[in-house]
């Protein structure tokens, strides 16, 4: 959950999720796309906050519009 002390989240501009098939997933010459970024839109904005549930072993980058 993103909850700002000095402002509010108005909307989600963009989001990407970096994840792989398992905890030992890694890119290599043989499998260059085992771990990759993909567009992700499962972020809710309401009441000045952004909320999401990340899959296990993942990383998210979000651009939020603040008000």
């Amino acid at each position: 959950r993103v909850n700002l002390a000095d402002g509010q989240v108005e909307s989600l501009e963009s989001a990407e999720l970096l994840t792989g098939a398992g905890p030992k997933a890694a890119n290599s010459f043989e499998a260059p796309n085992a771990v990759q970024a993909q567009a992700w839109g499962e972020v809710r904005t309401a009441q000045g906050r952004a909320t999401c549930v990340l899959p296990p072993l993942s990383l998210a980058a979000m651009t939020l519009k603040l008000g």
Side-chain angles (χ1 to χ4, degrees):
R1 177 180 349 172
V2 177
N3 189 10
L4 303 174
D6 262 358
Q8 294 196 0
V9 175
E10 287 186 8
S11 63
L12 174 70
E13 295 287 319
S14 65
E16 288 186 318
L17 188 66
L18 183 66
T19 188
K24 293 186 178 185
N27 290 347
S28 65
F29 288 112
E30 294 80 21
N33 297 315
V35 175
Q36 59 184 338
Q38 56 193 20
W40 189 58
E42 296 184 36
V43 180
R44 295 186 315 256
T45 56
Q47 300 176 349
R49 293 185 231 168
T51 306
C52 63
V53 176
L54 299 175
L57 306 172
S58 66
L59 174 74
M62 294 176 261
T63 302
L64 303 168
K65 183 177 180 181
L66 306 178

